[in-house]
Every structure is written in structure tokens, then in C-alpha cells.
Amino acid sequence: MIFRQKLHSHGWYILFNSLILIAVSLRYLSFLPEWPVDFLGNVYLVVSVIGQMTLLAAIFGALSILFLFLPGWSKTMMQATVATLGISALFIDTSVFSLYRFHINFVVLNLVLSGQIVTFPWVVWATVIGGVSVLFAAELWLIRWLDTRPALLSFKLGRKFALIVFCCLLSTNLIHIWASANVYRPVTTLTRYLPLFYPATANSLMRKMGWVDREAIDRKKAMRMQTKTSLNYPLNPLETSDVKKPVNIMLLAIDTWRADAFSQEVTPNMWQIAHQHHAARFNNHLSTGNATRAGIFGLFNGIPSTYWQSFLANTQPSLLIQRLQALNYNMGIFTSARLNHPEFDKTVFASIPNVRIGTIGGRNYRRDQKMTKDWINWYKNRDKTRPTFSFLFYDAVHGFDFPPTYPHKFTPMWSKVNHLELNNDTDPDLYFNLYKNSVNFVDSLVKKVFAELQASGELDNTLVILTSDHGEEMNDNKLNFWGHNGNFTDAQVKVPFVVFGPGFDQSKTSWDPNTVTSHADMVPTLMKHYLGVTNPVSDYSTGVDLLGEEIKRDWIISAKYSGYAIITKDTILEVLGSGDYSLMDKTNRPLKDQNINYQHVQQALEQISRYYR
């Protein structure tokens, strides 16, 4: 009898927590690009939220049933712990989703904890811990209150509530089965807004019954990201000619460096040396991704990062790196963050024995300082009879970090970035000034790099490339996007790309500085003009030669961890891994009355499948 009463009380506890989860999940709906205008879309939105959140509450409740056998406070503490973890996880997920428009999963969690997507200052952790503590206390109170309210338990609401939830779950899945079979986007596009949400599909059954839109389904399948492991890369073995006088090459990248943060005011040292050497500046340069993995992969391989999983499965290194090794270059790979998150040590740099994995040094700025010092020491002691390739990858900007005593050139500014406080009403200037001060700090470190090149007498014999892996949005388009890996607007994918050195200055390229270029263009340019590769570019890259005839492309492909985008002058067609897609303008707002250019889609599909068997 006592256990039955506990079970009844536990049922009410699940009901209350279901309502809490439903209330928290309403935050997801504030990020819908537009509210459903049709009846079916609105019904689906309501029933899916109620059904999914109650289902999650029931799962956490089921995990707690065994604790009902525990005595007194032991039962209460364990019940409250499970519920607190579940509600906290959902709230944190809503915060992550508000900034990046993706949900937390094991891959994302690993990247967050390793600092690859965002780094959190102590104040954020303190806020989270404080909030979880308050929630835990509230859960304890709720359990004790329910245990001492037998009159409340006499209300027979359980079956009625269960019937409502069952109807919601049934309606959700039936609506989605039809919508999936007919690619009815007012329903299917809503699915991504709820976590751990996988409503049913029955396309095969619907096809047999003739209730499908075959053309739309085939088009959606064709647009999915390829995940084959059988590579055919390069299409033909590299053919090469002698390189009589190899030049040194330096690729200097700053994580999270926006295109508009390369200026005389923000980066005076890089700006000055670039202008002194008549650097070619590409003002409309798009990264191959809006996150580190996609940006660096495309930069070193010259192909879309949709091939990432295939390259990782085959431990396929960059052909650029392999060609540099074949020409006996000194290989100086210096990164502030770790190379094994993501696994660049098993992809891009897999052919380099004992490659340096990262830099030890605590905070981002300390690692950047040490990395610079380590590179200078390495460079001074390199084998001077061989050409040199240097890759320096700075991370302080990614963490909005610089020494406490470093001058604040841009004020007023935040002292730290609290991502939990970011919203549409946040003043972006305070955020942006902190960001620009961190860029200015890295610029002061790069000055030391150039000073060493100058002192060694090798600056004039070094091809220098200045760029980034991706940009950083600061609510530029007033849609509450902060950071990166959230969309494919210019704020997140447009980056500096500046080149100077032997054979490459503003007078050597026929390209207009404002013509669209891509990270994919670096590999073919270096391979063809500096490393003696004579193959057609299409054998190993989807990019083009920046020292060749200017090519005005109608579109560029960029990617993220779970999808890719086809970016044109006026539109962004974002395609998720599932094949679902959204057509938006350049501010990431939906385009209702514009048709997709399927010629661009076919051309993009050729690029993301060209190097598979």
C-alpha cells in the first residue's frame, strides 16, 4: 500500500516535470524563422511539443522508479537528482540552440568541452552551477510537497493526462509520416527544433499506397551529404615537374577572424606589412565552413568538407602536405589548440610523423604566446638548406582572450563573454570591442613572426598567406545568432584572405579584389605555381587557380558539422544531413516566393560526390 502511494505520488511528479519541460521548450519556438501559417503546421507544432516533452519526462521518471524502494531522504535525493539533470540538460540545450541552432549531442559536447566551438569563462560556469542548485532545491521541495498531500493524489488525472499525451504522440507521428512522404516543409522543417526528436516515417508504405510525392523525395535524397568510405582521390596520380627554386611558404591563420577585423585600426602590423609588399587582398573570400573542422579541411584539401568522414576513415592526408614533404620542406606545424579535436592529426596532417598536437599553456592567450615563441626557436634552428613550410594557427580570438595587462584599444567592452546573457537586446558593440582587442593582441604576436622572417633575411623569399578558418557573428542580422557554426551568412563564413611574396602580389593576379573566392582555391594555386603539380585542377580540387584567369562563379559551397550550403550573391540554400533544406536570403531569413536553382544544386552535388568510387 505504501509503495502504491509512492508510485501515485511519482506519477504526479512526472506530470509536474512534464509541464516544466514544456514551458522550457517553448524557448525553441522563439527561434523559428517564421511561425507556421497553415492549420496542419500549427497543429503539428502544438502536439509535437506536448508529446515530446512529456515523453522525455516519462523517460526520466521511469529511470527514477527504482529509487522509490529507498527510504526517506535517499529516495527524495535520487529522484530530485535525476529530474534536475534532465531539466538542466534541456535548458542548456535551449541556450546552445539559441546561439548556434543545433542541439547538444556527443560530438558537439566533445567539441564544446575541448573549446572547439566556444569557450566559457568562470562566470558562466558559476551561473550554471547556481541555477542547477536552485533547481535541485525546488525539486526537493516538490517531492516533499507531493508526499505530504494525499488529498491531491485523490484526483484521478493520470489517465486523462496519459490519454492526451497518447493522442499528441499519435497525431505527431501520423502527421509527420504524411509530411515526410510528400516533403511538406511546413511540417518537416519544424522537426529540427526539438531535441532527441525522431518522428516516424513510412515512405515505403506510403509509396505502395500511392500517397507520395516521388519527385520531391528523390530530390531530397539526392541532396543528402555523401558518407561513403571508398575514396577515389585524387582522380589520377599526381604528375609533377621539377621545382628548381622552391620558395618558403607560411600559412598564418587566426581562429574566428572576421573579414572586417582585418584593417589598419584592428590589425596594424599585418595591415602594414601586407601593404608594404603589395599583397593581393581578396575582399569577398568565403571559407569552406562556418566551423574549424570544415574551414581547415577545405583550406588544406581544396575540396568540400562533406568528405571529412571519408578522409578520417581512410586516414587520408592532405595532398598539399604530401607534396611539400616530397619536395623536402621543413614542416613547422604550430597550433595553439589541439590538432586531435577535430582529428586533423588523422586527416590533414596524417602523413607527418610525430606531428605537434598542440601547445600547452593554459589560457588561450598564453598558448598563443608560447606557440609564437616555439615557432621562432624552431625557425632559427631549422635546416636552412631546405625550403620551409610554416602553419601557425592562433586561438586567442576564439576565446576572446588577451593578457590582463594588454592595452584596451577598443572601449567600452565586456570584461568576459557570458553566452547565457546574449540575446537580441544585447549591445553588440561591447562584445565586438572585446573581440577586436583580442584580434589586436594576436596581431602583436604576428609582428614578432614577421620580425623573425625579416631578421633571417627570408621574408622576401616567403609566400605569406593570412586567413582564418571561419568568421564570428555578433547578431549582425538581428536574428540572435552569436558565434559560429550557426548559419552561412557573411558574418560566419566571410574571412580575410591576403597573399604576398614571390610571384604573388596585387599586380600578379588578374582577379578583381571583390570577386568571390573560396578556401578551396588555395590548394590548386599553390600546387600549380609553387609545387610543380601539372594535373588538371579537377583531379584533386574543386577550387580554382587564383593566379590564372579570373572566374566569376555563380555559387560557392560551404559546410558545417551536419550539413552544407550553396551560397550565391543573394541566397543561401542550406541543406541538412537528412536532405531537408531551407532557402534563405543573405541575412538568413526565409525566401517564400523564390524557387531553388536546381542547376546550382546539380553542380554542387557533382562536387560533393566527385571523389567517391
Side-chain angles (χ1 to χ4, degrees):
M1 185 69 179
I2 295 177
F3 179 76
R4 184 176 180 181
Q5 184 175 345
K6 286 184 177 181
L7 194 62
H8 197 180
S9 175
H10 189 60
W12 274 89
Y13 185 55
I14 293 174
L15 188 154
F16 276 108
N17 278 316
S18 297
L19 298 178
I20 294 173
L21 290 182
I22 290 171
V24 173
S25 70
L26 294 179
R27 191 180 184 197
Y28 292 116
L29 306 186
S30 66
F31 308 119
L32 289 171
E34 57 181 351
W35 198 265
V37 295
D38 64 320
F39 176 75
L40 191 62
N42 278 284
V43 170
Y44 181 76
L45 194 62
V46 172
V47 296
S48 62
V49 169
I50 295 173
Q52 178 67 2
M53 292 303 109
T54 305
L55 182 61
L56 292 178
I59 291 173
F60 281 104
L63 295 174
S64 303
I65 287 180
L66 292 177
F67 300 140
L68 300 183
F69 292 99
L70 297 176
W73 275 100
S74 298
K75 171 191 81 73
T76 303
M77 294 287 286
M78 294 307 296
Q79 281 181 288
T81 298
V82 172
T84 299
L85 290 175
I87 296 172
S88 298
L90 183 69
F91 182 80
I92 292 172
D93 186 72
T94 64
S95 297
V96 171
F97 194 84
S98 71
L99 299 175
Y100 308 110
R101 302 305 194 273
F102 57 75
H103 298 288
I104 294 176
N105 54 43
F106 288 115
V107 174
V108 171
L109 186 61
N110 183 41
L111 291 169
V112 169
L113 293 178
S114 66
Q116 292 299 315
I117 292 180
V118 64
T119 54
F120 296 110
W122 67 267
V123 67
V124 175
W125 293 110
T127 303
V128 171
I129 292 171
V132 170
S133 299
V134 171
L135 177 61
F136 181 70
E139 289 289 327
L140 288 176
W141 176 86
L142 177 60
I143 295 169
R144 299 300 293 175
W145 184 77
L146 288 172
D147 286 346
T148 57
R149 290 294 185 277
L152 176 66
L153 305 184
S154 63
F155 291 98
K156 306 296 183 182
L157 295 179
R159 292 182 180 179
K160 296 182 180 66
F161 184 70
L163 179 61
I164 291 173
V165 173
F166 174 78
C167 291
C168 287
L169 289 171
L170 181 62
S171 301
T172 297
N173 287 283
L174 288 176
I175 292 173
H176 192 267
I177 286 172
W178 177 85
S180 176
N182 290 273
V183 193
Y184 187 67
R185 298 184 63 252
V187 167
T188 58
T189 54
L190 299 177
T191 300
R192 62 181 292 223
Y193 286 85
L194 294 179
L196 301 174
F197 186 42
Y198 307 104
T201 60
N203 289 355
S204 297
L205 176 62
M206 297 289 280
R207 184 179 289 109
K208 290 179 182 178
M209 301 179 70
W211 296 343
V212 297
D213 185 334
R214 293 177 181 271
E215 182 179 349
I217 289 180
D218 290 343
R219 191 160 54 232
K220 177 181 173 180
K221 284 183 177 179
M223 293 171 72
R224 290 177 183 169
M225 288 176 57
Q226 298 286 339
T227 56
K228 296 180 181 179
T229 57
S230 54
L231 283 172
N232 182 28
Y233 180 79
L235 297 182
N236 296 292
L238 291 188
E239 299 178 359
T240 60
S241 60
D242 290 338
V243 181
K244 296 180 179 179
K245 191 178 180 181
V247 302
N248 299 327
I249 300 173
M250 169 172 283
L251 174 57
L252 198 152
I254 301 174
D255 198 329
T256 320
W257 190 19
R258 289 168 55 114
D260 57 5
F262 174 67
S263 67
Q264 188 171 11
E265 183 183 24
V266 180
T267 54
N269 297 302
M270 287 186 282
W271 183 270
Q272 180 182 13
I273 198 157
H275 280 72
Q276 285 177 346
H277 289 78
H278 309 288
R281 180 180 175 186
F282 298 89
N283 299 323
N284 203 3
H285 186 87
L286 303 185
S287 172
T288 45
N290 60 11
T292 299
R293 190 178 82 179
I296 295 298
F297 179 91
L299 186 64
F300 275 92
N301 290 291
I303 62 176
S305 70
T306 53
Y307 289 94
W308 168 266
Q309 293 297 341
S310 303
F311 271 56
L312 181 60
N314 289 276
T315 320
Q316 172 67 49
S318 162
L319 292 182
L320 172 67
I321 295 296
Q322 288 180 294
R323 181 58 184 155
L324 289 165
Q325 290 175 294
L327 290 172
N328 201 30
Y329 270 71
N330 294 304
M331 302 298 291
I333 309 301
F334 289 81
T335 64
S336 181
R338 296 182 64 81
L339 276 182
N340 53 359
H341 291 290
E343 301 93 334
F344 294 126
D345 59 326
K346 295 182 176 64
T347 52
V348 173
F349 306 109
S351 60
I352 301 178
N354 303 314
V355 65
R356 174 182 165 126
I357 293 297
T359 303
I360 299 174
R363 284 177 55 174
N364 305 56
Y365 83 83
R366 291 188 182 277
R367 286 188 276 108
D368 282 8
Q369 288 174 326
K370 188 175 188 306
M371 183 191 79
T372 304
K373 185 180 296 184
D374 289 350
W375 176 83
I376 291 173
N377 290 334
W378 172 84
Y379 192 76
K380 286 179 177 178
N381 295 289
R382 75 195 187 285
D383 182 351
K384 297 179 177 62
T385 65
R386 299 160 54 194
T388 298
F389 173 77
S390 299
F391 174 52
L392 282 76
F393 191 19
Y394 287 92
D395 196 53
V397 179
H398 183 258
F400 291 72
D401 201 17
F402 47 85
T405 58
Y406 191 76
H408 298 171
K409 185 175 183 179
F410 303 96
T411 57
M413 69 170 196
W414 279 5
S415 59
K416 289 288 183 182
V417 176
N418 186 345
H419 287 82
L420 297 180
E421 294 181 357
L422 294 173
N423 55 59
N424 255 343
D425 297 323
T426 302
D427 181 359
D429 290 338
L430 301 177
Y431 188 98
F432 203 5
N433 283 338
L434 176 64
Y435 170 87
K436 288 190 288 188
N437 281 325
S438 66
V439 177
N440 184 256
F441 163 68
V442 172
D443 180 68
S444 72
L445 297 180
V446 174
K447 180 181 180 180
K448 298 178 181 180
V449 172
F450 286 133
E452 175 57 32
L453 289 176
Q454 187 76 54
S456 69
E458 290 292 336
L459 181 57
D460 291 337
N461 188 44
T462 301
L463 181 72
V464 177
I465 302 168
L466 306 174
T467 191
S468 179
D469 51 349
H470 54 77
E472 181 79 353
E473 184 164 1
M474 298 167 195
N475 201 21
D476 293 62
N477 300 300
K478 308 304 178 186
L479 292 175
N480 201 38
F481 280 94
W482 301 86
H484 51 275
N485 200 37
N487 61 50
F488 293 93
T489 59
D490 283 352
Q492 296 199 31
V493 297
K494 191 173 180 179
V495 297
F497 197 76
V498 181
V499 190
F500 64 87
F504 210 132
D505 57 39
Q506 192 65 59
S507 65
K508 298 290 184 180
T509 175
S510 61
W511 286 64
D512 185 299
N514 296 314
T515 296
V516 176
T517 56
S518 165
H519 265 8
D521 302 335
M522 186 188 80
V523 166
T525 304
L526 294 181
M527 293 287 243
K528 184 173 180 179
H529 295 277
Y530 295 91
L531 304 179
V533 175
T534 59
N535 295 61
V537 168
S538 59
D539 274 1
Y540 57 87
S541 174
T542 58
V544 298
D545 175 14
L546 295 178
L547 286 173
E549 183 179 349
E550 180 182 81
I551 297 176
K552 293 187 179 296
R553 287 172 284 198
D554 295 325
W555 59 273
I556 290 285
I557 191 168
S558 189
K560 59 180 181 179
Y561 290 102
S562 57
Y564 66 94
I566 300 171
I567 303 171
T568 72
K569 178 183 177 182
D570 302 312
T571 66
I572 301 169
L573 176 63
E574 183 175 349
V575 183
L576 301 180
S578 63
D580 288 317
Y581 60 89
S582 299
L583 181 64
M584 295 160 289
D585 65 17
K586 293 302 288 287
T587 68
N588 215 56
R589 288 173 170 82
L591 289 171
K592 299 178 182 179
D593 303 323
Q594 188 164 338
N595 295 324
I596 293 173
N597 187 322
Y598 284 104
Q599 183 179 2
H600 293 169
V601 173
Q602 285 299 116
Q603 293 168 348
L605 290 175
E606 188 280 326
Q607 287 195 8
I608 66 177
S609 62
R610 181 187 303 173
Y611 301 110
Y612 289 127
R613 294 189 188 280

